Coordinates of all heavy atoms in Angstrom, one line a residue:
M424 N 9.2 -28.7 -0.3 CA 8.2 -28.5 -1.3 C 6.8 -28.5 -0.8 O 5.9 -27.8 -1.3 CB 8.4 -29.6 -2.4 CG 7.6 -29.4 -3.6 SD 8.3 -28.0 -4.5 CE 7.3 -28.0 -5.9
G425 N 6.5 -29.3 0.3 CA 5.2 -29.3 0.9 C 4.8 -28.0 1.5 O 3.7 -27.6 1.5
L426 N 5.8 -27.3 2.1 CA 5.6 -26.0 2.7 C 5.2 -25.0 1.7 O 4.3 -24.2 1.9 CB 6.8 -25.6 3.5 CG 6.7 -24.3 4.3 CD1 5.6 -24.4 5.3 CD2 8.0 -23.9 4.9
V427 N 5.8 -25.0 0.5 CA 5.5 -24.1 -0.6 C 4.0 -24.4 -1.0 O 3.3 -23.4 -1.3 CB 6.5 -24.2 -1.7 CG1 6.0 -23.4 -2.9 CG2 7.8 -23.8 -1.3
G428 N 3.7 -25.6 -1.1 CA 2.3 -26.0 -1.6 C 1.3 -25.5 -0.6 O 0.2 -25.0 -0.9
L429 N 1.6 -25.7 0.7 CA 0.6 -25.2 1.8 C 0.5 -23.7 1.7 O -0.6 -23.2 1.9 CB 1.1 -25.7 3.1 CG 0.8 -27.2 3.4 CD1 1.4 -27.5 4.8 CD2 -0.6 -27.5 3.4
A430 N 1.6 -23.0 1.5 CA 1.6 -21.5 1.4 C 0.7 -21.1 0.3 O -0.1 -20.2 0.4 CB 3.0 -21.0 1.3
F431 N 0.9 -21.7 -0.9 CA 0.1 -21.4 -2.1 C -1.3 -21.7 -1.8 O -2.2 -20.9 -2.2 CB 0.6 -22.2 -3.3 CG -0.1 -21.8 -4.6 CD1 0.1 -20.6 -5.2 CD2 -0.9 -22.7 -5.1 CE1 -0.5 -20.3 -6.3 CE2 -1.6 -22.4 -6.3 CZ -1.4 -21.2 -6.9
L432 N -1.7 -22.8 -1.2 CA -3.0 -23.1 -0.9 C -3.7 -22.1 0.0 O -4.8 -21.7 -0.1 CB -3.1 -24.5 -0.2 CG -4.5 -25.0 0.1 CD1 -5.4 -25.2 -1.1 CD2 -4.4 -26.3 0.9
G433 N -2.9 -21.6 1.0 CA -3.4 -20.6 1.9 C -3.7 -19.3 1.2 O -4.7 -18.6 1.5
V434 N -2.8 -18.9 0.2 CA -3.1 -17.7 -0.6 C -4.3 -17.8 -1.4 O -5.2 -16.9 -1.4 CB -1.8 -17.4 -1.5 CG1 -2.2 -16.3 -2.5 CG2 -0.6 -17.0 -0.6
V435 N -4.5 -19.0 -2.0 CA -5.7 -19.2 -2.9 C -6.9 -19.2 -2.0 O -7.9 -18.6 -2.4 CB -5.5 -20.6 -3.6 CG1 -6.8 -20.9 -4.3 CG2 -4.4 -20.5 -4.7
L436 N -6.9 -19.9 -0.9 CA -8.1 -19.9 0.0 C -8.4 -18.5 0.6 O -9.6 -18.1 0.7 CB -7.9 -20.9 1.1 CG -8.0 -22.4 0.7 CD1 -7.7 -23.3 1.9 CD2 -9.3 -22.7 0.1
G437 N -7.4 -17.8 0.9 CA -7.6 -16.4 1.4 C -8.2 -15.5 0.4 O -9.1 -14.7 0.6
A438 N -7.7 -15.6 -0.9 CA -8.3 -14.8 -2.0 C -9.7 -15.2 -2.2 O -10.6 -14.3 -2.4 CB -7.4 -15.0 -3.2
A439 N -10.0 -16.5 -2.2 CA -11.4 -16.9 -2.5 C -12.3 -16.5 -1.3 O -13.4 -16.0 -1.6 CB -11.4 -18.4 -2.6
G440 N -11.8 -16.5 -0.1 CA -12.6 -16.1 1.0 C -12.9 -14.6 1.0 O -14.0 -14.1 1.3
T441 N -11.9 -13.8 0.6 CA -12.0 -12.4 0.4 C -13.1 -12.0 -0.6 O -13.9 -11.2 -0.4 CB -10.7 -11.7 0.1 OG1 -9.7 -12.1 1.1 CG2 -10.8 -10.2 0.0
E442 N -13.0 -12.7 -1.7 CA -14.0 -12.4 -2.8 C -15.4 -12.9 -2.4 O -16.4 -12.2 -2.7 CB -13.6 -13.2 -4.1 CG -12.4 -12.6 -4.8 CD -12.5 -11.1 -5.0 OE1 -13.6 -10.6 -5.5 OE2 -11.5 -10.4 -4.7
F443 N -15.5 -13.9 -1.6 CA -16.8 -14.4 -1.1 C -17.4 -13.3 -0.2 O -18.5 -12.9 -0.2 CB -16.7 -15.7 -0.4 CG -17.9 -16.2 0.3 CD1 -19.0 -16.7 -0.5 CD2 -18.1 -16.1 1.6 CE1 -20.1 -17.2 0.1 CE2 -19.3 -16.5 2.2 CZ -20.3 -17.0 1.4
L444 N -16.5 -12.8 0.7 CA -17.0 -11.8 1.7 C -17.3 -10.5 0.9 O -18.2 -9.7 1.3 CB -15.9 -11.5 2.7 CG -15.9 -12.5 3.9 CD1 -14.7 -12.1 4.8 CD2 -17.2 -12.5 4.7
R445 N -16.5 -10.2 -0.1 CA -16.7 -8.9 -0.9 C -18.1 -9.0 -1.5 O -18.8 -7.9 -1.6 CB -15.7 -8.8 -2.0 CG -15.7 -7.4 -2.6 CD -14.5 -7.3 -3.6 NE -13.2 -7.4 -3.1 CZ -12.5 -6.5 -2.5 NH1 -13.1 -5.3 -2.4 NH2 -11.3 -6.7 -2.0
V446 N -18.6 -10.1 -1.9 CA -19.9 -10.2 -2.5 C -21.0 -10.2 -1.4 O -22.0 -9.5 -1.5 CB -20.0 -11.6 -3.3 CG1 -21.5 -11.8 -3.7 CG2 -19.1 -11.5 -4.5
K447 N -20.8 -11.0 -0.3 CA -21.8 -11.1 0.7 C -21.8 -10.0 1.7 O -22.9 -9.5 2.1 CB -21.6 -12.4 1.5 CG -21.8 -13.7 0.6 CD -23.2 -13.9 0.2 CE -23.3 -15.1 -0.6 NZ -24.7 -15.4 -1.1
R448 N -20.7 -9.5 2.1 CA -20.6 -8.5 3.2 C -19.5 -7.4 2.8 O -18.4 -7.4 3.4 CB -20.2 -9.1 4.5 CG -21.2 -10.2 5.0 CD -22.4 -9.6 5.7 NE -22.2 -8.5 6.6 CZ -22.1 -8.7 7.9 NH1 -22.2 -9.9 8.4 NH2 -21.9 -7.7 8.7
P449 N -19.8 -6.6 1.9 CA -18.8 -5.6 1.4 C -18.4 -4.6 2.6 O -17.3 -4.1 2.5 CB -19.4 -4.9 0.3 CG -20.9 -5.1 0.4 CD -21.0 -6.4 1.1
D450 N -19.2 -4.4 3.6 CA -18.9 -3.5 4.7 C -17.8 -4.1 5.5 O -16.9 -3.3 5.9 CB -20.1 -3.3 5.5 CG -20.7 -4.6 6.1 OD1 -20.8 -5.6 5.3 OD2 -21.2 -4.6 7.2
I451 N -17.7 -5.4 5.7 CA -16.6 -6.0 6.4 C -15.3 -5.8 5.7 O -14.3 -5.4 6.3 CB -16.8 -7.5 6.7 CG1 -18.0 -7.6 7.6 CG2 -15.6 -8.1 7.2 CD1 -18.4 -9.1 7.9
I452 N -15.3 -6.0 4.4 CA -14.0 -5.8 3.6 C -13.6 -4.4 3.6 O -12.4 -4.1 3.7 CB -14.3 -6.3 2.1 CG1 -14.6 -7.8 2.1 CG2 -13.1 -6.0 1.2 CD1 -13.4 -8.7 2.6
E453 N -14.5 -3.4 3.5 CA -14.2 -2.0 3.6 C -13.5 -1.7 4.9 O -12.5 -0.9 4.9 CB -15.5 -1.2 3.4 CG -15.2 0.3 3.2 CD -16.5 1.0 2.8 OE1 -17.2 0.6 2.0 OE2 -16.7 2.1 3.4
K454 N -14.1 -2.2 6.0 CA -13.5 -1.9 7.3 C -12.1 -2.5 7.4 O -11.1 -1.9 8.0 CB -14.3 -2.5 8.4 CG -15.6 -1.8 8.6 CD -16.4 -2.4 9.7 CE -17.8 -1.8 9.9 NZ -18.6 -2.4 10.9
I455 N -11.9 -3.7 6.9 CA -10.6 -4.4 6.9 C -9.6 -3.6 6.1 O -8.4 -3.3 6.5 CB -10.7 -5.8 6.4 CG1 -11.4 -6.6 7.4 CG2 -9.3 -6.4 6.2 CD1 -11.8 -8.0 7.0
E456 N -10.0 -3.1 4.9 CA -9.1 -2.3 4.0 C -8.7 -1.0 4.7 O -7.5 -0.6 4.6 CB -9.7 -2.1 2.7 CG -9.8 -3.4 1.8 CD -10.5 -3.2 0.5 OE1 -11.2 -2.1 0.4 OE2 -10.4 -4.0 -0.4
D457 N -9.7 -0.3 5.3 CA -9.4 0.9 6.0 C -8.4 0.7 7.2 O -7.5 1.5 7.4 CB -10.7 1.6 6.5 CG -11.5 2.1 5.4 OD1 -11.0 2.4 4.3 OD2 -12.7 2.3 5.6
S458 N -8.6 -0.4 7.9 CA -7.7 -0.7 9.0 C -6.3 -1.0 8.5 O -5.3 -0.5 9.1 CB -8.3 -1.9 9.8 OG -7.4 -2.3 10.8
A459 N -6.2 -1.7 7.4 CA -4.9 -2.0 6.9 C -4.2 -0.8 6.4 O -3.0 -0.6 6.6 CB -5.0 -3.0 5.8
K460 N -4.9 0.1 5.8 CA -4.3 1.4 5.3 C -3.8 2.2 6.5 O -2.7 2.8 6.4 CB -5.4 2.2 4.5 CG -5.6 1.6 3.1 CD -6.7 2.4 2.4 CE -7.1 1.7 1.1 NZ -8.2 2.4 0.4
R461 N -4.6 2.3 7.6 CA -4.2 3.1 8.7 C -2.9 2.4 9.4 O -2.0 3.1 9.8 CB -5.3 3.1 9.8 CG -6.4 4.1 9.4 CD -7.3 4.4 10.6 NE -7.8 3.2 11.3 CZ -8.9 2.5 10.9 NH1 -9.7 3.0 9.9 NH2 -9.3 1.5 11.6
F462 N -2.9 1.1 9.4 CA -1.7 0.4 10.0 C -0.5 0.7 9.2 O 0.6 1.0 9.7 CB -2.0 -1.1 10.0 CG -0.8 -1.9 10.4 CD1 -0.4 -1.9 11.8 CD2 0.0 -2.6 9.5 CE1 0.8 -2.6 12.2 CE2 1.1 -3.3 9.9 CZ 1.5 -3.3 11.2
V463 N -0.6 0.6 7.8 CA 0.6 0.8 7.0 C 1.0 2.3 7.1 O 2.2 2.6 7.2 CB 0.3 0.5 5.5 CG1 1.3 1.0 4.6 CG2 0.1 -1.0 5.4
D464 N 0.1 3.2 7.2 CA 0.4 4.6 7.3 C 1.1 4.9 8.7 O 2.0 5.8 8.8 CB -0.8 5.5 7.2 CG -1.3 5.6 5.8 OD1 -0.5 5.3 4.8 OD2 -2.5 6.0 5.6
S465 N 0.7 4.2 9.7 CA 1.4 4.4 11.0 C 2.8 3.8 11.1 O 3.6 4.3 11.7 CB 0.5 3.8 12.1 OG 0.5 2.4 12.1
V466 N 3.0 2.7 10.3 CA 4.3 2.0 10.4 C 5.2 2.7 9.4 O 6.4 2.9 9.7 CB 4.1 0.5 10.0 CG1 5.5 -0.2 9.9 CG2 3.3 -0.2 11.1
Y467 N 4.7 3.0 8.2 CA 5.6 3.6 7.2 C 5.0 5.0 6.8 O 4.3 5.1 5.7 CB 5.7 2.7 5.9 CG 6.2 1.4 6.2 CD1 5.4 0.2 6.2 CD2 7.6 1.2 6.5 CE1 6.0 -1.0 6.5 CE2 8.1 0.0 6.7 CZ 7.3 -1.1 6.7 OH 7.8 -2.4 7.0
P468 N 5.2 6.0 7.6 CA 4.6 7.3 7.2 C 5.3 7.9 5.9 O 6.5 7.6 5.7 CB 4.9 8.2 8.4 CG 6.1 7.5 9.1 CD 6.0 6.1 8.8
T469 N 4.5 8.6 5.1 CA 5.0 9.1 3.9 C 5.8 10.4 4.2 O 5.8 10.9 5.3 CB 3.9 9.5 2.9 OG1 3.0 10.5 3.6 CG2 3.1 8.3 2.5
K470 N 6.6 10.9 3.3 CA 7.4 12.0 3.5 C 6.6 13.2 3.9 O 7.0 14.0 4.8 CB 8.3 12.3 2.3 CG 9.3 13.4 2.5 CD 10.2 13.5 1.3 CE 11.3 14.5 1.6 NZ 12.3 14.6 0.6
S471 N 5.4 13.4 3.3 CA 4.6 14.6 3.6 C 4.1 14.4 5.1 O 3.9 15.5 5.7 CB 3.4 14.7 2.6 OG 2.6 13.5 2.7
D472 N 3.8 13.2 5.5 CA 3.4 13.0 6.9 C 4.6 13.4 7.9 O 4.4 14.0 8.9 CB 3.0 11.6 7.2 CG 1.7 11.3 6.5 OD1 0.9 12.2 6.1 OD2 1.4 10.1 6.4
D473 N 5.8 13.1 7.5 CA 7.0 13.4 8.3 C 7.1 14.9 8.4 O 7.4 15.4 9.5 CB 8.3 12.8 7.7 CG 8.3 11.3 7.8 OD1 7.6 10.8 8.7 OD2 9.1 10.7 7.1
E474 N 6.9 15.6 7.3 CA 7.0 17.1 7.4 C 5.9 17.7 8.2 O 6.1 18.7 8.9 CB 6.9 17.6 5.9 CG 8.1 17.3 5.1 CD 7.9 17.6 3.6 OE1 6.8 18.1 3.3 OE2 8.8 17.4 2.8
K475 N 4.7 17.1 8.2 CA 3.6 17.6 9.1 C 3.9 17.5 10.6 O 3.7 18.4 11.3 CB 2.3 16.9 8.7 CG 1.7 17.2 7.4 CD 0.5 16.4 7.2 CE -0.1 16.6 5.8 NZ -1.2 15.8 5.5
T476 N 4.5 16.3 10.9 CA 4.8 16.1 12.3 C 6.0 17.0 12.8 O 6.1 17.4 14.0 CB 5.2 14.6 12.6 OG1 6.2 14.2 11.8 CG2 4.0 13.7 12.4
Q477 N 6.9 17.3 11.9 CA 8.0 18.2 12.3 C 7.6 19.6 12.5 O 8.2 20.3 13.3 CB 9.1 18.1 11.2 CG 9.9 16.8 11.2 CD 10.9 16.7 10.1 OE1 11.0 17.6 9.3 NE2 11.6 15.6 10.1
K478 N 6.6 20.0 11.8 CA 6.1 21.4 11.9 C 5.3 21.7 13.2 O 5.3 22.7 13.7 CB 5.1 21.7 10.7 CG 5.9 21.9 9.4 CD 4.9 22.2 8.3 CE 5.6 22.3 7.0 NZ 4.7 22.6 5.9
K479 N 4.8 20.6 13.8 CA 4.0 20.8 15.0 C 4.8 21.0 16.2 O 5.9 20.8 16.4 CB 3.1 19.5 15.2 CG 2.0 19.5 14.2 CD 1.1 18.3 14.5 CE 0.0 18.3 13.5 NZ -0.9 17.2 13.8

């Protein structure tokens, strides 16, 4: 039960930290979001991306 509580606390603190940074330094959050989007696109390409790579 303690592990679940610590995980929940981590999620809450992470969300609060993100909102704090969003207010104070929105450029950092924008860079992080763009980086996360590129990472997800590289790991899980969409079907249209698969078709583009097959045509090349």
Side-chain angles (χ1 to χ4, degrees):
M424 189 67 178
L426 185 60
V427 173
L429 285 175
F431 183 70
L432 180 63
V434 169
V435 170
L436 289 175
T441 301
E442 290 305 315
F443 177 76
L444 280 177
R445 192 177 298 277
V446 170
K447 297 290 183 183
R448 300 283 309 265
D450 55 321
I451 292 175
I452 296 296
E453 188 174 316
K454 288 179 185 178
I455 292 170
E456 287 175 346
D457 288 341
S458 176
K460 287 176 187 176
R461 285 193 310 271
F462 173 75
V463 170
D464 287 342
S465 70
V466 174
Y467 300 107
T469 60
K470 188 171 183 176
S471 62
D472 289 343
D473 289 339
E474 291 171 359
K475 289 178 186 175
T476 56
Q477 289 177 356
K478 288 180 183 178
K479 291 183 178 180

